Amino acid sequence: MKALAHMMLVLGSLFGGGMAWASPITAELSTDRVEISTGFTGASVLVFGATQNPLGGDPPEDLIVVATGPTQGVVVRRKINVLGIWLNGPSTRFPDVPGFYALAATRRVWEILPEDERRQYRLGFDNLRLRSEGNRSPAFRAALLELKQADARWQEYAAPVSRAGERLFSARIAFPATVQTGDYQIEVLLTRENRVIARQELSLRVERVGTAAEIASLARGQPLLYGVLCIVLAVLAGWLGSVLFRRN
């Protein structure tokens, strides 16, 4: 209900004053904060707004929404079988990998923009700048793409940009339970005749709250104490389980 009220307030400001536009596109988020608690199973954020000109007109205008999360280093290793035992083989390190990437559009981006524009705005998995250190075989990049898509942290056309009427649009970005904390950037691009004519950048914060935040803070600030507590809890859980099984 809060997100809906916020959406109506923004759209009312767009159309209430005789449509006094300051930009060809105006976009907002249903929330600028995603909270991770101990029971967090994922969340979704709605990107919505309006355009000055009708979407799909003549010449046609299209919308692209791309969300990226904090970068991180990722090591991809190849397993090799030696005498029936699987061992770590060659590896490649990707130092600047987006922890989250989601792309949505009114059409496929290759139908909207030429290759140089898609590369400039990093639209699509093929245009992500994944610099590698070590083995430069394309197989490692392909393995990285597969791993990131498997846990839903990378999404290409997971949901379309929907249109309501001629000027209103919305797109829903789904964050999985494995999403990392940090600052996220969401870009809304308006295109016409094979080029980007307007761009708006929105910010989103993902953070831990409550018990989850306290546990994470303890793990970072006092790793030794955190490790000891984990061992003690594991021992107590094992002892309690053995007691219960003996009674049964």
Side-chain angles (χ1 to χ4, degrees):
M1 292 298 293
K2 185 184 295 185
L4 180 60
H6 180 57
M7 184 190 306
M8 295 302 296
L9 178 63
V10 172
L11 295 179
S13 67
L14 290 175
F15 295 101
M19 295 179 64
W21 296 86
S23 169
I25 182 174
T26 300
E28 261 290 358
L29 300 176
S30 58
T31 180
D32 60 0
R33 187 181 181 206
V34 172
E35 298 180 345
I36 300 178
S37 61
T38 51
F40 183 74
T41 58
S44 65
V45 174
L46 187 68
V47 184
F48 64 94
T51 59
Q52 183 177 18
N53 299 318
L55 291 168
D58 186 19
E61 292 188 356
D62 285 281
L63 279 165
I64 301 171
V65 176
V66 57
T68 55
T71 58
Q72 56 186 188
V74 176
V75 176
V76 178
R77 292 186 175 87
R78 177 182 295 163
K79 295 289 186 179
I80 57 175
N81 192 322
V82 179
L83 301 176
I85 301 175
W86 289 98
L87 302 175
N88 288 330
S91 65
T92 293
R93 184 175 185 272
F94 297 88
D96 300 305
V97 176
F100 180 84
Y101 180 88
L103 175 67
T106 48
R107 294 185 290 161
R108 302 291 182 177
V109 290
W110 62 79
E111 299 174 342
I112 300 173
L113 293 173
E115 184 177 355
D116 58 337
E117 290 273 311
R118 299 197 305 269
R119 189 182 304 114
Q120 177 183 349
Y121 292 100
R122 305 183 187 186
L123 301 177
F125 293 156
D126 292 341
N127 296 305
L128 290 177
R129 299 167 193 169
L130 301 175
R131 181 171 57 90
S132 62
E133 299 173 349
N135 194 313
R136 298 184 181 277
S137 169
F140 287 96
R141 180 187 172 99
L144 175 64
L145 291 174
E146 183 178 347
L147 290 170
K148 288 295 184 179
Q149 291 179 82
D151 64 4
R153 280 189 281 186
W154 281 13
Q155 308 163 23
E156 193 175 45
Y157 306 114
V161 174
S162 301
R163 292 181 288 186
E166 294 184 335
R167 293 180 173 86
L168 303 182
F169 67 87
S170 65
R172 190 168 293 279
I173 301 173
F175 294 92
T178 54
V179 67
Q180 70 184 86
T181 58
D183 294 315
Y184 286 67
Q185 176 183 308
I186 299 172
E187 287 184 298
V188 182
L189 307 174
L190 180 65
T191 71
R192 183 198 300 152
E193 296 181 321
N194 299 325
R195 65 186 182 92
V196 176
I197 62 170
R199 170 181 173 271
Q200 185 172 346
E201 186 175 311
L202 306 169
S203 297
L204 177 74
R205 177 82 179 166
V206 177
E207 58 186 2
R208 298 185 186 278
V209 296
T211 305
E214 295 174 1
I215 293 174
S217 177
L218 178 63
R220 288 193 304 268
Q222 302 183 58
L224 180 59
L225 177 59
Y226 174 77
V228 171
L229 289 175
C230 287
I231 294 172
V232 171
L233 289 174
V235 171
L236 288 175
W239 172 79
L240 181 59
S242 65
V243 171
L244 292 175
F245 277 114
R246 280 202 302 267
R247 288 182 176 178
N248 291 335

